[in-house]
Amino acid sequence: KGFLKEAEGQLSQPDVDVEAVRVAFLGKKGKITGVLKSMKDLSVDEKKEVGQVGNQVRTAIQEKIEEKKAEQEAKALEEKLASETLDVTLPGSKPKIGSAHVLQQIMDEIEAHFLGLGYQIIDDPTDSPEVETDEYNFERENLPKDHPARDMQDTFYITPEILLRTQTSPVQSRVLEKHDFSKGPLKMIAPGKVYRRDTDDATHSHQFHQVEGLVVGKNITMADLKGTLLSIMQELFGEKHQIRLRPSYFPFTEPSVEVDVSWDEVTPDTKPEDIKWIEVLGAGMTHPNVLKMDGLDPEEYTAFAFGLGPDRFAMLKYGVEDIRQFYLNDVRFLDQFNERG
Ligand code: PHE
């Protein structure tokens, strides 16, 4: 009966390990089992009494254990239910909404600017295919097969005649050859992806973007080109960045220029030698050969063309020093440009 008190005492603890109590009292080596086992040395009368009391105590402890077990299970269930309660009055969690990629944002800005100047946007794959022919990518751009300037654009060939376009310039010919000049001059931009067999590093990527521009009409001059380039640069960078035009070479323009933008903002106190220039676009007056191949008389029509690099614009605008960041799809990087916050 002393054991019964002892067991009851232990079972009254709220967090008692019920199984351990069962083993201690009723298990094979338990206290009650021990008493019942030792009966064999007793007299018949003693056996009877000890047996009776022993069994009563055993049943009583068993009942107490069951009771305690049920109590603990009920309590655990209650706690679980409480922890899983849904508070419908709490504000909902806000789902994450994506946004346009930073390069797309820049291209949208460029498109909006040129739309405002009355340009058409050419982005339909029939006029602006990424898988191009050698003819449109090179030959129609005044780059015949053995032209040394082909080395300027290391190319991914699919077959000897089909390639991944290295520039958006082929879109010029695709659109120009169809243009109806009785309806007015041609003013177009073509934003898109281009590919070059470069080894990726901080400033080179085997895939990047260009926005091609082309204006064809009568009396189109270099002054028109310069004014147009200044307007887009001012739109994108504001007054604080300087622009520099340098003579350059492209097979499809003559004369050709390269346009650089200052890496940092330039003030009246900035010394010219301290300005760090970064090349952002190539441009020029369309070569007469190109106009001829597209069916125009260069004596009648003149044209200018340019190729902008949105990747470089984005690097400049946001101070990104590694072009590869744009293509890693690391949401932590991209989220910085999430317009929706
Ligand atoms: N297609 C040239 C390039 O990829 C850029 C360019 C376009 C230059 C149009 C002049 C005129 O380097």
Side-chain angles (χ1 to χ4, degrees), residues 282-295:
M285 300 308 293
T286 303
H287 197 290
N289 285 354
V290 174
L291 293 175
K292 274 189 221 157
M293 280 187 275
D294 291 326

Side-chain angles (χ1 to χ4, degrees), residues 135-151:
E135 183 194 344
Y136 277 95
N137 193 79
F138 289 127
E139 293 190 34
R140 293 284 283 271
E141 298 310 312
N142 204 25
L143 272 148
K145 284 239 155 52
D146 51 1
H147 199 291
R150 281 195 179 206
D151 295 348

Side-chain angles (χ1 to χ4, degrees), residues 30-92:
K31 293 177 178 173
I32 303 299
T33 321
V35 171
L36 293 174
K37 269 187 191 162
S38 65
M39 284 193 331
K40 60 180 186 305
D41 305 327
L42 301 177
S43 67
V44 177
D45 283 350
E46 283 172 329
K47 266 186 194 159
K48 206 175 160 192
E49 198 191 332
V50 173
Q52 239 175 19
V53 175
N55 278 328
Q56 278 168 7
V57 168
R58 186 170 66 185
T59 313
I61 292 179
Q62 243 159 12
E63 279 169 5
K64 288 277 170 207
I65 286 176
E66 292 307 322
E67 243 172 56
K68 189 70 190 177
K69 237 192 204 163
E71 186 190 314
Q72 283 185 343
E73 279 166 8
K75 203 173 140 207
L77 182 64
E78 217 170 275
E79 279 169 7
K80 194 163 175 239
L81 287 176
S83 74
E84 289 175 0
T85 310
L86 185 65
D87 183 348
V88 293
T89 65
L90 285 176

Side-chain angles (χ1 to χ4, degrees), residues 173-197:
S173 296
R174 289 193 175 272
V175 175
L176 180 52
E177 67 187 7
K178 290 194 294 196
H179 186 72
D180 178 359
F181 279 92
S182 68
K183 299 209 170 101
L186 171 64
K187 292 162 81 177
M188 58 150 267
I189 60 164
K193 290 195 196 89
V194 300
Y195 301 84
R196 290 193 197 169
R197 246 174 38 143

Side-chain angles (χ1 to χ4, degrees), residues 153 167 169 172 196 210 212 250 252-253 282-283 305-307:
Q153 301 180 0
Q167 51 186 355
S169 299
Q172 291 187 24
R196 290 193 197 169
Q210 285 187 339
E212 193 79 10
F250 297 102
F252 33 88
T253 48
F306 56 84

Side-chain angles (χ1 to χ4, degrees), residues 229-238 243 259 261 280 313:
L229 295 179
L230 285 177
S231 80
I232 182 63
M233 299 313 243
Q234 273 168 359
E235 168 80 22
L236 291 171
F237 295 101
I243 290 163
V259 179
V261 162
V280 282
F313 282 154

